Amino acid sequence: MGEYIVEMQGITKRFPGVLALNNVKLNLRPGLVHSLMGENGAGKSTLMKILAGVYTLDEGQILLNDKPVSIESPRDGLANGISMIHQELVFVPELTAAENIYLGRELRDRFGLVSRKSMIDETQKVFDKWNINIDPATQMKELSVAQAQMVEIAKAIAFESKIIIMDEPTSAITEREVERLHAMIRALREAGTAIIYITHKMDEVFAISDEITVFRDGTWVATEKASAMDRDRLISLMVGRELNQLFPKVEAEIGEVVLEVEGLNRGRQVKNVSFSVRRGEILGFAGLMGSGRSEVLETVFGIHPATSGTIKVNGKVVRIREPHQAIEAGLALLTEDRKKTGIMGVLSVRDNMSIAAIDRFSFLGILRRPMIEKECEAQRQALALKTPSLDQLTQNLSGGNQQKVLLSRWLLTDPDILIIDEPTRGIDVGAKSEIHRLMGELAKQGKAIIMVSSEMPEILGMSDRVVVMCEGQLVGEVSRKDATQEKIMELATRFSDEAVA
Amino acid sequence: MSNQPATTSSTAVIGPKKFDWGHFVRQYMIIGVLALFVAALAIMTNGNSIEPVNLVNVIRQVSAIGIIGVGMTFVIITLGIDLSVGSILGLSAVVAASLAQIPGGSLVKFQGIDVPVIIAVLAGLAVGAFAGFINGVLIAKFRLAPFIATLGMMSIARGLAYIYTGDGRPFSGLKDDYNYLGQGYLFNDPKQPLSGIPLPVVLFIVVAIIATFLLSYTKFGRYTYAIGGNEVAARVSGIRIPRVTILIYTLSGLLAGLAGVLWSARIGSGNSTLGQGIELDAITAVIVGGTSFKGGIGKIWGTVVGALLIGVINNGLDLLNVSPFLQIVVKGCIIIVAIIIDERKNTKKA
């Protein structure tokens, strides 16, 4: 047996009109964690989907243990010991954890009938061995994202996969859960499994990787030992240029209070929350996943109406029961889940941009097309949006560019208060720092910005002030100069120990 | 897989804009298909099918499907469906016809009441719009699935039409002014009795033009596409979904009412069974015309061409003496093929 468990050589993949991968190579050793880095569209996911059999390659070859193999379907991939854990987990929510693990190859009893009991028993064995604390008989829909992910990993283990691909496994789980995931990965590595790890998060890459391969625009750039690389070098390899500052926070003059929320309540998710934000200020909302950050802001915006509380904009009490009332009051909300609540994929970039400001863009119900054209074009240039035309369907843009379209949508309403929930989730480094730069500029123009983020560096780097939430309550506030990761985490986990009692 | 290969790659969309032939062909293929059918039938019928009289006849036959299809286009763009249009057509037809009867006959619904024809027409339209409004309220306020709400209305409106006609006998003996709506011609040369453009065709064209304007040049049109593109995102962007939904179903009902008036005027009587099954023809026209069953995509001209295609095929099969039962089978095949094409368009687009 050679040095490598997998060798991918000269891999080329074309999609209509695009060369997605151009003569790319990747070599994996058993018992190591190999991270793939690169901006969105660099080709990481495409290469992994080829390895897992989701796509077939156009040119090149794959060697498994020195033998050429042809992987035509995910089934071939699994048969060759390759499992992929997708960014958006794929499972049947109504089935139990055990049934999902054995989906498509159910264990049978001696009468040839599906045997729930033996599947649960087998799953329990795997869970016990790997310290997974989940009841195999729980329905998948009852599990958290992190737990569902553990089930997916257990599935890979149950398939005896020697190669496990994880595509952005930490994009939707909390820091504590990331720790658990990483412990799991280390244990798998000990057992000789080759792990391929795709992420956008720098800290994680250095925490978990043995080797790093960087891709850019569908080509292979470099493969190096993680210990031989540092953050700056990695970023410059990814973007092909030096990024002098990750968080270009510009100083903005902080003015009067524009938004004041008092005693806001909604069910168990929002409990007596009060806060305010001033012109020119970036207010960070920190807290663990599920602590109620997004829920508070969605309530302020009228997506879910509040049961009690007052909202004042520029000193005047406003009634907000529906988003259109929030927009009229001068609020804007860029939601967390781009795909589900943000973009209209089959509509053009122009339609997506202009929709929230459509009242301004029409007269007696008739569209003022030249005005729409002019202002959308101006946004496109101001935000350096990469699209061949405003007619392009939004679903054809990359994640970062879709985020820019959504930002434009709200900027066109000229809001006083811009709420951005997870501004840079799942977008590449280049687009990320551009979004940060824009946020700084907007604050400078006198807009109040409220930012929800699960990424600690983003919270610390961008906020003038940070409020921390825990279990639906606002538990503390720290100023920019006092804010540290430890302090915020301490506040964010305040109740979790007592919660049991 | 909803996430298409090229969408993950930002390089997909960068670079100079080239003319995309594939896109062009997919977009306008339906016109080519129509031309092909017209040509094929012309050959098979030795040119009979393209005699002007026959062509005008075909368009008149599909004007009801087309008018209803226009409303259905709005509905399907928002991911809805309106199954009640055929029944609403029937109800509007009997109501309008009952008010347009020449007074004095023994079969007159309202003895001793004589209202102007315009009132009869407006009553027919109002009944249609009201039924559509109820659909909209059920869907928008009571959160019923469009399929369920309009299935209920389909039964209710048809039942009311039967009840209204009492013993089920059609209302005949209608005023000439009323019948003129269905039988008259625009640009008629008095020396040639059947020359000019039939009024139902004129109204079909007018409806299509107004709807095109609504869909492409107004706020209401943007709202329609936005709701179909992503309803949650549309709401977050400030669109009042219930209001727009109610308007759309009211529009669909209104157009069904208009079709009911025109049809009863065409045949000179209001029959409670009018319009049975027309919802399927209208849906076929919309889907064949390229409106996506997945929402957010659709054009009025597509529906117009779709309706014409149905008309040409029906007419051609008639001229070739094909059994009407087989015609129904052919229609079913067309809708399935159209949906397969829609699916493939969606997976290829990216």
Side-chain angles (χ1 to χ4, degrees), chain A residues 122-132 157 184 187 191:
Chain A
E122 288 304 310
T123 304
Q124 190 65 58
K125 274 184 211 159
V126 175
F127 282 3
D128 287 345
K129 184 173 170 208
W130 294 91
N131 276 323
I132 299 172
I157 296 168
M184 183 87 186

Side-chain angles (χ1 to χ4, degrees), chain B residues 65-66 69 280-290 302-308 310:
Chain B
I65 295 173
L280 292 182
D281 286 334
I283 293 166
T284 307
V286 173
I287 299 299
V288 168
T303 301
V304 171
V305 176
L308 291 177
I310 293 175

Side-chain angles (χ1 to χ4, degrees), chain B residues 144-163:
Chain B
L144 291 191
F147 187 93
I148 303 298
T150 60
L151 185 68
M153 181 57 71
M154 180 180 183
S155 188
I156 292 168
R158 185 65 69 193
L160 288 176
Y162 290 145
I163 293 168

Side-chain angles (χ1 to χ4, degrees), chain B residues 69-81:
Chain B
V70 165
M72 192 72 79
T73 308
F74 284 82
V75 169
I76 292 181
I77 289 176
T78 61
L79 274 174
I81 192 84

